[in-house]
Amino acid sequence: MARPINADPEQTKERILLAAIECFGNEGLRGTPLKNIAGEAKVTIATIHHYFGGKLGLFEAALEQGYEELTGLGAAIGLAASETDGTLEERIDVIARRALSFARGRQKASRFLLRAMLYESEAKERALRAQEQYVTTTSDALSLFVGRSAAELRVPVQ
């Protein structure tokens, strides 16, 4: 099957990534055949190989896309922190609810990243970097409430 006339390569890659996030999120890396992703994205397996080099390349690109989709989480937490009055417990409750609401609005990416982080060894290094970034963002936001430096609040991600 030839490439459709006037096909936009960026839109095609985006469709493939969105399909991969959904399929990998539902079935995992090993449980998802490329043919399922190709069918969902309405492309051929050869197209996936052309853009991503294969299943692992697609998985890694989907991880990056998923984390990119969730980059606003830090801003949402920071905004919640700056807008909230009350006790420390009330403030933390508002921040946690804002974070959950943010993730709920991005269910496919959240499901995919959670599954990848828990079950896919190929995702561990990228997940660790994301966790370190999250701890930094969270400790920065919490430092506003407790009167301690963010560095004091940070804990190593283990």
Side-chain angles (χ1 to χ4, degrees), residues 7 10 21-22 28 31 38-39 43 49 51 57 62 78 84 101 133 135 145 152:
E10 290 306 311
I21 286 170
E22 179 153 1
V43 298
H49 281 282
Y51 286 114
T84 304
S101 175
Q133 182 180 14
V135 167
F145 297 130
E152 289 179 88

Side-chain angles (χ1 to χ4, degrees), residues 44 48 59 70 94 130 134:
T44 64
I48 293 174
F59 182 78
L70 296 181
V94 169
Y134 177 76

Side-chain angles (χ1 to χ4, degrees), residues 11-54:
Q11 286 180 350
T12 301
K13 284 175 69 173
E14 183 71 18
R15 264 195 349 266
I16 295 168
L17 284 171
L18 292 175
I21 286 170
E22 179 153 1
C23 293
F24 289 142
N26 290 334
E27 302 297 329
L29 175 62
R30 284 156 197 77
T32 303
L34 276 182
K35 69 177 183 159
N36 291 10
I37 297 169
E40 183 76 24
K42 298 182 179 18
V43 298
T44 64
I45 292 174
T47 302
I48 293 174
H49 281 282
H50 170 74
Y51 286 114
F52 300 100

